[in-house]
């Protein structure tokens, strides 16, 4: 395993160098824009031992807890004690009619009943700061129910992560349109439960983070995933990639947006001063 971890760290490092050469040429990567990865562990709540093992992962991993699950509340409370961020992993209707479990959002519900179910699910997961969809390949294609989801999220000051279980999802767009902070999944880590597959997906996530600045990874509390991440997460730091929670990434993005806006305003003022404009009250140069 240690040989594997050293190989993984080297693989991540090699990818970082190649990505830098391809995407930035000779320009050095500024530490302020250090690549960042969010790791979300879905499906927390049905298995206590697996959930506790996942909570023991190092660093600011984010945990998505199923509503009304046997151990969801206790795991959410434990996560909060450990300083970890928690989300509601809300079941949504899928195209294959797979079993959803309690707290599911489905077609045909009235707006009032839909929001009642969602609010009850959120109440069942203490300290939830956001939510993402469990399944949802059917419901996330539909703008009206997604609008209802975002209205609840906005009323409770929550963010939304689109798990992107279908290419036709409108969830992320709807969240943004409704003024809800939103993220979108880049990589599913473990839908094949082999070490080779986990490694390949993890390295893909690092490559995405280096190219675009961020990557959102979703995994599950499978023993093989937990064992893999216990070794892989420390390798991120060695490779110069920062692990952040989902709320922390959103906060960083908002801060960056504000700084960019300030920079644009300052540039406008500088340009006007250079052109001789005295910046009258209405800025009518």
């Amino acid at each position: 395993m240690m040989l594997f971890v050293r190989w993984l760290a080297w693989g991540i490092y090699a990818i970082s160098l190649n990505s830098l050469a391809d995407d930035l040429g000779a320009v050095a990567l500024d530490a302020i824009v250090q690549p960042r990865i969010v790791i979300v562990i879905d499906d927390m709540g049905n298995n206590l031992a697996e959930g506790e093992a996942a909570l023991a992962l190092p660093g600011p991993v984010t945990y998505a807890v199923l509503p009304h699950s046997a151990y969801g509340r206790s795991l959410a409370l434990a996560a909060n004690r450990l300083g970890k961020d928690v989300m509601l992993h809300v079941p949504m209707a899928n195209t294959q009619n797979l079993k959803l479990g309690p707290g599911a959002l489905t077609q045909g519900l009235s707006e009032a009943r839909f929001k009642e179910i969602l609010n009850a699910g959120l109440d069942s997961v203490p300290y939830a700061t956001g939510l993402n969809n469990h399944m949802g390949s059917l419901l996330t294609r539909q703008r009206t129910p997604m609008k209802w989801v975002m209205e609840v999220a906005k009323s409770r000051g929550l963010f939304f992560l689109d798990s992107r279980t279908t290419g036709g999802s409108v969830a992320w767009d709807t969240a943004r349109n409704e003024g809800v902070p939103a993220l979108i999944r880049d990589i599913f880590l473990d839908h094949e439960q082999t070490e080779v597959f986990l490694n390949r997906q993890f390295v893909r996530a690092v490559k995405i983070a280096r190219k675009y600045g961020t990557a959102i990874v979703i995994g599950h509390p499978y023993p093989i995933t937990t064992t893999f991440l216990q070794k892989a997460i420390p390798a991120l730091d060695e490779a110069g990639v920062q692990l952040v929670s989902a709320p922390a990434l959103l906060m960083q993005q908002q801060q960056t947006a504000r700084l960019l806006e300030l920079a644009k305003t300052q540039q406008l003022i500088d340009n006007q001063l250079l052109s001789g404009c005295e910046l009258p009250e209405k800025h009518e140069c």
Side-chain angles (χ1 to χ4, degrees), residues 92-256:
M92 297 186 187
N94 60 80
T95 57
Q96 300 178 28
N97 294 315
L98 299 173
K99 185 177 179 181
L100 294 172
L105 303 177
T106 58
Q107 290 181 298
L109 295 170
S110 68
E111 179 180 355
R113 181 58 180 152
F114 187 102
K115 291 182 176 179
E116 180 184 12
I117 292 171
L118 180 53
N119 275 303
L122 286 162
D123 291 340
S124 77
V125 179
Y127 301 107
T129 59
L131 63 158
N132 71 329
N133 53 295
H134 172 54
M135 301 188 190
S137 55
L138 179 62
L139 205 68
T140 59
R141 295 171 181 262
Q142 302 174 22
R143 290 195 179 274
T144 296
M146 289 302 98
K147 186 173 186 294
W148 295 343
V149 168
M150 304 315 160
E151 286 172 351
V152 171
K154 189 172 184 178
S155 72
R156 298 179 69 134
L158 306 176
F159 69 89
F160 184 82
L161 166 61
D162 187 354
S163 300
R164 198 72 173 175
T165 56
T166 171
S169 174
V170 298
W172 186 84
D173 286 337
T174 306
R176 299 300 294 268
N177 289 340
E178 294 298 318
V180 174
L183 298 168
I184 190 166
R185 186 271 309 163
D186 295 298
I187 292 288
F188 278 126
L189 183 64
D190 54 7
H191 47 287
E192 292 182 23
Q193 294 176 47
T194 68
E195 193 170 281
V196 171
F197 185 79
L198 286 164
N199 178 72
R200 183 163 69 242
Q201 293 297 91
F202 197 76
V203 172
R204 281 185 62 203
V206 170
K207 190 171 184 179
I208 289 170
R210 289 213 168 265
K211 185 171 184 179
Y212 298 105
T214 63
I216 314 295
V217 179
I218 291 180
H220 301 82
Y222 306 139
I224 190 171
T225 302
T226 302
T227 300
F228 174 84
L229 288 175
Q230 283 284 358
K231 303 297 184 180
I233 287 173
L236 287 175
D237 188 58
E238 296 172 14
V241 178
Q242 183 184 20
L243 175 66
V244 298
S245 69
L249 178 62
L250 283 165
M251 185 178 296
Q252 290 172 357
Q253 290 178 340
Q254 291 165 356
Q255 290 171 343
T256 299

Side-chain angles (χ1 to χ4, degrees), residues 33-62:
V33 291
Q34 182 182 21
R36 291 160 292 175
I37 281 181
V38 170
I39 297 176
V40 177
I41 302 297
D42 275 357
D43 292 359
M44 295 283 286
N46 286 333
N47 186 300
L48 181 59
E50 290 182 358
E52 289 176 337
L55 288 181
L57 288 170
V61 176
T62 305

